[in-house]
Amino acid sequence: MRHRKKGVTLDRKKGSREALLRSLVTNLVLYEKINTTKAKAKATRPLVEKLITVGKRTDLAAKRYVAARVYTEGARKKIFEVLGPRYKERSGGYTRIMSLGRRVGDGAEVSRIEFV
């Protein structure tokens, strides 16, 4: 039973789910907006928000935290050099999710997640 267990499974096992979310987070940081399904966007949002909050600090622990959660060095640098300073005065709510309708092939709800 899954009583009181947080998070979504996205119909994947743990390893592939973590890899999927890491790649979504990395691409969102690099391109600043991505189109994906609504469920994946909702699962990606808290991870990105936490990374931006940590990216406001520049200590070694913050750099190691971010390095463990994104794939590329470019995304790591962008979090600390661009996104952290951009949202320095903002206390949260760095992303928005906009609905784009349904996908033609399978009817899945497509959304765009982007930085505010």
Side-chain angles (χ1 to χ4, degrees):
M1 290 183 276
R2 293 192 70 244
H3 296 275
R4 296 179 59 130
K5 296 206 182 283
K6 295 173 96 175
V8 293
T9 59
L10 297 175
D11 202 24
R12 287 168 170 79
K13 297 211 182 278
K14 182 177 186 275
S16 61
R17 181 175 59 245
E18 287 178 351
L20 169 75
L21 292 175
R22 279 182 73 185
S23 66
L24 285 171
V25 167
T26 302
N27 286 325
L28 180 59
V29 168
L30 289 175
Y31 301 112
E32 298 197 10
K33 61 182 173 183
I34 54 173
N35 294 342
T36 184
T37 63
K38 186 176 182 180
K40 290 176 189 172
K42 287 173 129 183
T44 304
R45 172 184 256 171
L47 303 175
V48 172
E49 303 249 344
K50 177 69 173 173
L51 287 179
I52 300 302
T53 302
V54 170
K56 292 178 182 181
R57 304 184 332 227
T58 57
D59 57 341
L60 183 61
K63 291 183 180 187
R64 286 181 175 164
Y65 182 88
V66 171
R69 285 159 177 81
V70 296
Y71 278 125
T72 63
E73 181 65 31
R76 293 177 208 147
K77 284 184 178 179
K78 188 166 183 179
I79 287 173
F80 288 106
E81 295 173 4
V82 179
L83 298 175
R86 181 191 300 174
Y87 297 113
K88 196 70 170 174
E89 301 301 318
R90 196 175 180 102
S91 62
Y94 313 115
T95 58
R96 79 166 58 103
I97 297 175
M98 299 185 323
S99 181
L100 299 177
R102 295 202 172 260
R103 194 161 48 201
V104 175
D106 60 355
E109 290 186 55
V110 178
S111 297
R112 170 177 288 156
I113 181 169
E114 61 186 13
F115 288 109
V116 177

